[in-house]
Amino acid sequence: MTTFGNTTRVTLAALTLVALTGPALAQQGLDEPFQKPFKEALAGKTVAYVPVAMNFDLTEGWYAGLKKELEPFGVKFVIRDANWNTNAGAQAVTSLISEKPAVMVVHNPDVQTYAKLLQRAENEGIYVIQINMGSAYRSSAFVGANWVEIGERQTEAVVKACEGKSNKIAIIQGALSAAASAYTLKGVENVLAKHPEIKVVSSQAADWDAAKAKAITQTVLKQNPDLCGIVGFWDGMDIGTAAAVKEAGLTGKVFLTTSGGGERKGACELVKSGAFDLNMSYDVPTQAAQMAGTIKWLLSSGVKPGSVKGSEYTTLIPITKENADSQTACWNLSDLKK
Amino acid sequence: MKHFRFNQQEIVFAVFALLFLVFSIFLNGFLTADNMLTLLQNVAVLGILGLAMAIVVIGRGIDISLIAALAVPPGLVLQMVQNGHSLPLSLLTAVLLTIAFGLVNGWLIAYAEVPSLFATLATGLLLAGLGQAALFQLDVVQWSPGMNGFERLGQGTILGIPTSIVMFAIACIVVAFLLRQTRWGAYIYAIGDNPYAARVTGIPSRPIIVLQYVVAALIGCFAGLVMAASVNSMPTRVFNSTLIYDVILVVVLGGIGLSGGRGGVLNVIIGTLLIGTMLNGMTIMDISYAGQNLIKGVVLLLAVLTDSFLNPRNEETAQQGDI
């Protein structure tokens, strides 16, 4: 007790000393010369966001994350919701080109539609950042998942789960022309090329639609009750795939992998419930942070739009039963919006 | 010599029978009891929607807003339960919303005399927009623990038959009863056949038309509940899909002419069976998405073409007012 009292007293004395001498030692600060031009480069600039559609975990997450990082610096944020309509999206990009925001953040519905427009935008002096689903045109930055890798890792997991079983697998694709679907399929093919023993009994597109995914899976499972694995292309759609597996009483027997943004309800909860065996998460908040970082860098660097081109593939988080309970594997949309 | 005349219903039935036969012979695993049930299960929701559309089309209208009624009120149920409300309260709210929606549709068409195509096109957008803007947090409304037990409406089996098929069967019986056994049903046929004559005869056309859209919306909502229960969530953006065309297809293919006054539940069942058989067969054959669309288009065109070849239009039928 006495020792403790002494220590406290000595510490207090030392702290008092530091407090008294501190200001004298610091004398005067050094002005940091770079933060003023940085602030000036960002303040009042407009960032336009064109998602495939709002109101789902990915696009809401990116929006919230970008807003959080950019608005404190006086950046104006505008949103043009394409609402699953490719024409509406193309129109939004076209009209934005004439409105001339400083940066355009674009989520491509497919690899072709916006390609020419995005090139035009950069020619007009607008930085273009593409998220998750890229187009054929390479702009200032692509921030997103490496779909080929996702396809490869998912398929490797399914191949492993199939060892000693029927080796029959099914593939539930998204919308054929979307980057997320086409490139993932490439990854799947890469792995299958090394495993000739695996037989793909069905490979069909469900168009990102849970009901369609369920209908396809039901039929496939009836034809192949000994199926050992399914590679699904998006967790939002594969809720339907999982429902079909569950209804057939094959949960745990058919290894179901999918991918998604890692939102708690859509990813971790479903892995915990056994609906998905593996969900490759591309972690939306990190993607948003990387996008925001890129925007800050581009605006403050003053490089000419279109003169630099780079990619930031986000690190994947495989969500399985082991980590689905952890605080860090998934994120909550409601928290991100706060 | 008796002169044979096929109507569209028979042609479609023949196409269905032919397809069924070909698949049964050449497609391994098609003609099994299990696969037949899957086939029906996959088109059950489409069939239920077809019934709703049939009621409206028989009354010489069309309801493009049906998918909004399918998506929004059931989505609201899931969202409310997720937010902590009780399931009965949520269901009641959804049903009230559906009835209100049907009333707006009916009023616009019967009293304000807006053509049904335009009225429901607009109201459907309105309801879907309301859902997106004000009711749902996300497009896909997830199942929550408070809904436990309710999934039996779309999953599992009753006496060995998948529940969604049972629901389709119940809906068929109810609609058949409404159309064939009630005075209201008879009035719908009369109005569909000739609205002016119906009015002159003293049929209260306007209230009947309003009721027609309310019933259609309620059936749409029911289809949505079955769908949500079946996939354990409500993907509300189904509104933006091509589902409404499939529904119209089921109705028209089955032989319910858009000119009104003809057809019934049997037609919907036949149309649904044809679509179901095609989808199931193509999935088993693992035909690509584009290939499936191509085949669907060709079969449908053939059916419609054969009909117009065997039943050429004359001055009178052309005046009937197809859309």
Side-chain angles (χ1 to χ4, degrees):
Chain A
M1 189 69 207
T2 347
T3 336
F4 178 74
N6 279 342
T7 320
T8 321
R9 231 169 291 148
V10 172
T11 316
L12 270 176
L15 281 177
T16 321
L17 197 70
V18 169
L20 287 173
T21 52
L25 282 176
Q27 287 177 1
Q28 61 204 118
L30 196 60
D31 194 21
E32 203 259 296
F34 311 119
Q35 44 94 17
K36 195 163 165 257
F38 172 80
K39 280 184 181 161
E40 280 169 2
L42 263 66
K45 290 281 161 54
T46 304
V47 172
Y49 177 50
V50 189
V52 162
M54 281 307 274
N55 286 321
F56 70 107
D57 52 0
L58 305 180
T59 50
E60 289 283 337
W62 290 322
Y63 179 69
L66 280 175
K67 232 170 119 96
K68 203 185 222 168
E69 278 287 314
L70 296 174
E71 276 191 349
F73 293 96
V75 172
K76 224 178 92 196
F77 219 66
V78 296
I79 182 164
R80 297 278 190 279
D81 187 356
N83 203 12
W84 300 103
N85 182 337
T86 309
N87 284 334
Q91 239 163 51
V93 175
T94 312
S95 70
L96 279 173
I97 291 176
S98 55
E99 285 170 39
K100 287 226 167 121
V103 183
M104 235 195 258
V105 176
V106 180
H107 185 208
N108 294 283
D110 58 59
V111 291
Q112 283 305 337
T113 313
Y114 298 172
K116 282 258 161 58
L117 289 171
L118 300 185
Q119 189 173 8
R120 224 177 83 203
E122 292 214 313
N123 289 341
E124 296 280 328
I126 303 165
Y127 298 111
V128 174
I129 295 182
Q130 303 183 54
I131 37 174
N132 238 8
M133 299 207 279
S135 77
Y137 171 71
R138 191 171 188 203
S139 62
S140 303
F142 167 80
V143 179
N146 183 350
W147 297 107
V148 178
E149 187 192 342
I150 287 182
E152 287 174 351
R153 289 175 70 172
Q154 277 186 248
T155 316
E156 276 161 7
V158 166
V159 168
K160 195 158 167 266
C162 277
E163 266 170 25
K165 291 186 184 165
S166 68
N167 280 337
K168 283 186 192 169
I169 69 163
I171 302 167
I172 309 285
Q173 304 174 36
L176 291 177
S177 53
S181 199
Y183 299 154
T184 306
L185 189 62
K186 182 69 195 144
V188 174
E189 285 166 354
N190 288 348
V191 173
L192 289 180
K194 285 186 245 157
H195 291 275
E197 78 278 11
I198 298 288
K199 188 171 173 254
V200 179
V201 294
S202 164
S203 176
Q204 302 208 2
D207 230 8
W208 307 131
D209 177 349
K212 240 181 227 172
K214 186 180 181 193
I216 292 174
T217 313
Q218 271 178 330
T219 308
V220 172
L221 285 175
K222 285 279 156 65
Q223 299 304 313
N224 310 280
D226 56 342
L227 199 79
C228 59
I230 300 176
V231 181
F233 281 20
W234 181 41
D235 55 12
M237 163 182 81
D238 288 321
I239 293 176
T241 315
V245 172
K246 189 178 157 210
E247 213 172 281
L250 293 170
T251 306
K253 291 191 185 115
V254 177
F255 192 88
L256 175 55
T257 72
T258 187
S259 65
E263 210 275 331
R264 187 161 299 277
K265 276 201 216 75
C268 282
E269 298 293 336
L270 287 167
V271 170
K272 265 202 282 187
S273 76
F276 301 142
D277 294 286
L278 167 69
N279 188 336
M280 293 301 287
S281 158
Y282 24 87
D283 195 26
V284 163
T286 307
Q287 291 186 320
Q290 292 190 353
M291 254 187 284
T294 311
I295 291 171
K296 286 178 188 170
W297 186 84
L298 283 171
L299 287 175
S300 61
S301 69
V303 294
K304 198 171 155 282
S307 63
V308 289
K309 289 165 196 294
S311 306
E312 293 167 74
Y313 291 104
T314 42
T315 311
L316 300 172
I317 306 176
I319 300 172
T320 58
K321 274 237 164 72
E322 271 88 66
N323 63 353
D325 262 326
S326 83
Q327 288 301 308
T328 46
C330 285
W331 52 282
N332 294 321
L333 184 59
S334 48
D335 289 346
L336 199 63
K337 277 182 166 172
K338 272 173 201 161
Chain B
M1 196 180 126
K2 200 178 168 211
H3 187 70
F4 279 107
R5 268 251 157 125
F6 293 102
N7 62 27
Q8 190 173 321
Q9 181 189 337
E10 286 148 6
I11 295 162
V12 171
F13 191 76
V15 173
F16 157 67
L18 186 73
L19 262 183
F20 197 88
L21 196 72
V22 171
F23 284 168
S24 305
I25 297 170
F26 295 104
L27 218 53
N28 244 340
F30 177 78
L31 195 65
T32 61
D34 255 4
N35 188 54
M36 287 302 103
L37 290 179
T38 309
L39 184 159
L40 281 173
Q41 200 180 351
N42 288 343
V43 286
V45 169
L46 185 64
I48 299 174
L49 285 173
L51 292 170
M53 185 64 88
I55 293 178
V56 176
V57 170
I58 291 169
R60 207 186 261 203
I62 195 158
D63 189 352
I64 305 290
S65 69
L66 208 51
I67 308 300
L70 161 108
V72 177
L76 180 65
V77 174
L78 267 67
Q79 185 72 63
M80 281 180 71
V81 173
Q82 207 181 87
N83 295 350
H85 297 278
S86 76
L87 181 59
L89 175 73
S90 313
L91 280 172
L92 182 72
T93 316
V95 168
L96 289 177
L97 174 69
T98 313
I99 292 174
F101 179 65
L103 285 173
V104 171
N105 267 343
W107 182 84
L108 280 172
I109 293 154
Y111 291 92
E113 296 187 358
V114 182
S116 55
L117 181 67
F118 304 120
T120 54
L121 192 65
T123 54
L125 275 172
L126 187 85
L127 185 64
L130 175 79
Q132 244 184 1
L135 303 180
F136 313 131
Q137 275 150 19
L138 293 176
D139 264 9
V140 177
V141 191
Q142 301 274 3
W143 205 256
S144 48
M147 298 287 297
N148 281 349
F150 196 72
E151 73 272 4
R152 271 178 296 200
L153 191 67
Q155 290 177 23
T157 56
I158 296 173
L159 301 172
I161 301 168
T163 322
S164 42
I165 303 178
V166 177
M167 293 304 147
F168 179 36
I170 293 174
C172 282
I173 294 167
V174 171
V175 172
F177 175 80
L178 281 178
L179 284 177
R180 297 293 181 192
Q181 303 295 327
T182 63
R183 182 170 297 171
W184 177 68
Y187 285 167
I188 290 183
Y189 279 98
I191 293 168
D193 201 35
N194 190 336
Y196 307 106
R199 197 175 294 174
V200 171
T201 344
I203 291 172
S205 322
R206 285 181 169 158
I208 297 279
I209 292 174
V210 173
L211 190 57
Q212 201 175 294
Y213 285 92
V214 172
V215 171
L218 283 171
I219 298 175
C221 172
F222 175 66
L225 288 172
V226 174
M227 181 173 164
S230 152
V231 293
N232 257 347
S233 63
M234 186 68 226
T236 59
R237 62 167 176 277
V238 71
F239 178 75
N240 297 314
S241 74
T242 53
L243 187 57
I244 191 68
Y245 304 120
D246 290 347
V247 176
I248 297 174
L249 220 59
V250 160
V251 168
V252 175
L253 258 187
I256 303 181
L258 287 170
S259 47
R262 280 177 289 146
V265 170
L266 192 63
N267 301 79
V268 176
I269 296 175
I270 290 173
T272 313
L273 282 179
L274 177 65
I275 302 269
T277 308
M278 281 196 324
L279 288 181
N280 184 274
M282 291 191 293
T283 309
I284 295 179
M285 288 187 275
D286 198 17
I287 294 177
S288 74
Y289 191 60
Q292 293 204 9
N293 280 340
L294 184 76
I295 294 171
K296 245 199 287 185
V298 169
V299 172
L300 302 180
L301 261 180
L302 278 179
V304 179
L305 214 70
T306 323
D307 178 51
S308 61
F309 184 70
L310 291 174
N311 303 309
R313 277 156 191 267
N314 57 26
E315 196 63 24
E316 195 191 349
T317 45
Q319 291 289 325
Q320 275 286 316
D322 285 30
I323 294 170

